Amino acid sequence: MVVVGTGGAGLCAAIAAADHGARVHLVEKLSEIGGMLHIANGEFSGAGSRRQAAHGIEDSPEKHLAEVRRISHDRVHPELARLSVMAQGETVDWLDDLGFDFHPDCPGLIHGHEVYDVPRTYWGVEHGRSVIKALEPLLIEHIAAGRITLHLETAMTSLLTDDDVVVGVSVEHAGTRVELLGDAVVLATGGYDANLALRNEFLPEHCADVLVGCLDHATGDGLIAARELGADVSADGIFLPVMGMIPDPERPQHAVDYRVAFVEMAPAYRTPHEIWVNREGDRFVAEDTTSPEQRERALIRQPGNLMHVVFDDGVLAAAQVSLIRNPADEWTPERFAEACADSPWITRADTLEELATSLQVPAASLRASVDQYNAVGAGEQPDPFGRTTFPTRLGEGEWYAITTTAASILSRDGLRVDTGLRVLDVAGSPIDGLYAVGEILGNNVFAGDNYVGGMSITPAMTLGRHLGRTLASSLEDQ
Ligand SMILES: Cc1cc2nc3c(=O)[nH]c(=O)nc-3n(C[C@H](O)[C@H](O)[C@H](O)COP(=O)(O)OP(=O)(O)OC[C@H]3O[C@@H](n4cnc5c(N)ncnc54)[C@H](O)[C@@H]3O)c2cc1C
């Protein structure tokens, strides 16, 4: 068997297949395994786990599935979402058995996406890297036993067929082309968001400028190779951005690495003391909304999908918290105050009018937005957006703005597959020998038109394991 990609999906597929007796060529174009797990928060979800029971949390896969359907506006792929969710608690227990380094706060409720009704999200002390650390020993064991051959720095360039059956992959390693053959080929090459031309085929036209917020390997290679063989690709027209990513001044249309910095938007983690304005200098949403979806949808309606987080010295003194964060929690209020003085990500000015000029927003509108916020905070008028928290009046000392743009971090569309994860052609028939799992399927399958906690990494791992196991058993039977 050939598995292409060593993110959560490919690693789990290869390990499960090897556990069940298959011999696997595991192909990875980079020099290390792990894929998007290197940058991801690594939050995964599953119901009915031992950890939930130990915390006295009553839950079941059926309840989880109902929540997935509610949050996704019932737009998930019903069978595939069910297949994954029903086994996700088992994935959590499996990681537990492997000695996964759980963060002490989990299972927990996560506020970066719409919140589940019970704690069923888990993450490691090193976020996505904790998953790699848990899986790596299994991989090493299978490599030592000769069940898995790992090909690093080896890029799949195309799929090989014989009589319309996929029989292997053509790869390139150190400038040399090699063919790797197998009874089945599993594409686990992840998404396409780092390939702007491909990504923008799927995004609404007015979102073509959103930032790339994922790692560079996500170039859609598997999708492109399968499409060349006639594979069907979804085009659901769904897009929801991630907010708070900071444009990288050194890399146009890319976000500053999420591991380094992003603006924390969720009021559960930081009370907003600032206002958010669009390119016109107008507020556009309640900055303290507890619904991530509400603010994400509001942002993509703004010109350029861009917003400025506007605050002043009074906020710096009162908030006592950094507006910028990273997963390792390295942003102290002191570090943030220093960044306000000299970071290229933060615009500063002595007056609001000067700030407006630097941001290229109409000064009168920006002034009106600040006045509106202050008037609402003083109880003189209701807030048109329904904001309810007004910790400080704006207008003290210097002014600052952090500009952030909507970002895409994972692919919403992908290869269409059947419930056996067989890749389908445009006529709806399986392409013999070709399978796919993970983000290459598109996140809409598991999250519909929203983000649903853990519903990218967990289906990647859960269905990866399922596929590896199933393929190994069926190949053995032949
Ligand atoms: C900042 C950020 C935070 C996130 N946080 C979460 C979270 O908390 N929870 C969650 O559920 N999801 C999260 N996600 C999404 C999640 O990380 C991914 O959807 C998931 O990890 C994808 O797994 P995968 O195995 O399908 O693909 P990937 O992890 O992308 O792995 C694909 C692998 O295939 C390799 N590859 C690609 N092309 C080729 C080729 N031609 N030849 C050989 N190898 C190739 C790549 O190098 C890579 O190693 C986050 C994403 C980002 C960017």
Side-chain angles (χ1 to χ4, degrees):
M1 176 187 318
V2 181
V3 176
V4 190
T6 64
L11 281 177
C12 286
I15 289 167
D19 283 347
H20 289 80
R23 289 192 182 271
V24 183
H25 283 294
L26 180 58
V27 182
E28 170 54 55
K29 68 178 174 182
L30 302 181
S31 58
E32 59 176 351
I33 62 162
M36 215 54 83
L37 289 168
H38 286 280
I39 193 172
N41 277 337
E43 290 156 8
F44 49 98
S45 55
S49 71
R50 293 197 302 268
R51 288 213 157 229
Q52 279 185 317
H55 284 78
I57 299 162
E58 275 185 37
D59 200 8
S60 71
E62 285 294 348
K63 281 190 194 161
H64 188 184
L65 186 61
E67 282 263 274
V68 168
R69 297 188 83 136
R70 172 181 68 80
I71 296 171
S72 68
H73 308 296
D74 216 2
R75 290 190 69 181
V76 293
H77 185 300
E79 290 89 15
L80 287 173
R82 169 173 283 277
L83 189 66
S84 184
V85 169
M86 288 300 133
Q88 288 183 194
E90 195 191 311
T91 302
V92 177
D93 285 346
W94 175 63
L95 287 170
D96 213 344
D97 291 339
L98 296 179
F100 181 83
D101 208 353
F102 284 93
H103 190 282
D105 291 349
C106 50
L109 294 172
I110 291 294
H111 298 266
H113 307 308
E114 298 300 320
V115 188
Y116 285 132
D117 60 358
V118 296
R120 61 167 75 91
T121 306
Y122 316 75
W123 61 100
V125 292
E126 289 183 60
H127 303 273
R129 292 187 58 81
S130 294
V131 177
I132 304 175
K133 283 194 168 172
L135 300 181
E136 208 166 19
L138 301 181
L139 178 64
I140 291 171
E141 209 180 300
H142 282 310
I143 292 172
R147 289 183 288 266
I148 295 182
T149 307
L150 176 62
H151 305 262
L152 290 174
E153 296 179 324
T154 303
M156 176 199 65
T157 50
S158 62
L159 293 161
L160 300 170
T161 55
D162 184 9
D163 249 353
D164 290 339
V165 177
V166 174
V167 293
V169 295
S170 182
V171 299
E172 231 177 76
H173 172 74
T176 308
R177 188 179 163 274
V178 180
E179 293 187 348
L180 297 175
L181 303 179
D183 304 328
V185 171
V186 176
L187 294 175
T189 48
Y192 49 67
D193 283 71
N195 177 341
L196 281 177
L198 184 59
R199 183 197 75 173
N200 288 352
E201 270 184 38
F202 299 102
L203 254 51
E205 228 174 284
H206 73 282
C207 295
D209 291 337
V210 303
L211 301 178
V212 175
C214 63
L215 295 176
D216 290 349
H217 69 256
T219 44
D221 300 10
L223 186 147
I224 294 167
R227 203 155 65 168
E228 275 165 16
L229 285 192
D232 195 14
V233 177
S234 69
D236 295 343
I238 289 174
F239 175 62
L240 207 55
V242 160
M243 288 177 79
M245 290 219 164
I246 302 169
D248 186 342
E250 287 164 23
R251 232 186 143 198
Q253 228 186 317
H254 283 73
V256 166
D257 192 311
Y258 177 80
R259 291 164 290 191
V260 175
F262 61 89
V263 181
E264 179 56 76
M265 314 303 283
Y269 302 124
R270 171 182 79 76
T271 304
H273 285 55
E274 75 278 8
I275 58 168
W276 303 347
V277 299
N278 63 15
R279 247 188 204 163
E280 306 302 330
D282 298 326
R283 291 178 59 226
F284 57 91
V285 71
E287 293 85 347
D288 59 355
T289 176
T290 54
S291 164
E293 181 186 3
Q294 189 190 352
R295 55 178 178 259
E296 288 156 1
R297 292 201 191 283
L299 180 60
I300 49 168
R301 288 196 297 269
Q302 306 314 308
N305 311 123
L306 172 152
M307 58 178 266
H308 305 291
V309 175
V310 175
F311 56 101
D312 64 6
D313 276 332
V315 168
L316 277 185
Q320 286 303 312
V321 64
S322 175
L323 274 67
I324 291 179
R325 275 189 60 200
N326 69 351
D329 272 334
E330 292 164 325
W331 282 84
T332 59
E334 295 73 29
R335 180 176 172 193
F336 180 62
E338 281 167 26
C340 284
D342 61 13
S343 167
W345 308 332
I346 302 177
T347 308
R348 61 200 69 76
D350 289 337
T351 67
L352 191 60
E353 286 63 33
E354 280 171 34
L355 188 75
T357 306
S358 298
L359 297 176
Q360 297 182 303
V361 308
S365 314
L366 184 57
R367 168 61 65 193
S369 294
V370 169
D371 289 348
Q372 178 193 61
Y373 168 81
N374 283 337
V376 176
E380 293 162 13
Q381 61 184 74
D383 187 50
F385 304 101
R387 177 170 175 157
T388 56
T389 46
F390 302 90
T392 36
R393 201 183 150 73
L394 287 171
E396 198 183 308
E398 274 199 278
W399 288 92
Y400 307 93
I402 312 174
T403 301
T404 94
T405 307
S408 67
I409 61 162
L410 52 75
S411 304
R412 307 299 313 212
D413 284 296
L415 295 178
R416 288 198 200 276
V417 292
D418 66 9
T419 50
L421 299 166
R422 297 183 299 176
V423 176
L424 300 175
D425 66 18
V426 287
S429 306
I431 299 176
D432 280 341
L434 189 61
Y435 300 80
V437 68
E439 195 183 313
I440 193 172
L441 305 184
N443 196 234
N444 298 347
V445 168
F446 305 106
D449 72 349
N450 208 340
Y451 288 100
V452 186
M455 285 308 288
S456 193
I457 286 178
T458 336
M461 293 192 293
T462 305
L463 296 185
R465 291 183 73 209
H466 169 77
L467 181 61
R469 203 164 41 219
T470 316
L471 282 178
S473 310
S474 68
L475 296 174
E476 205 176 58
D477 294 344
Q478 284 170 19

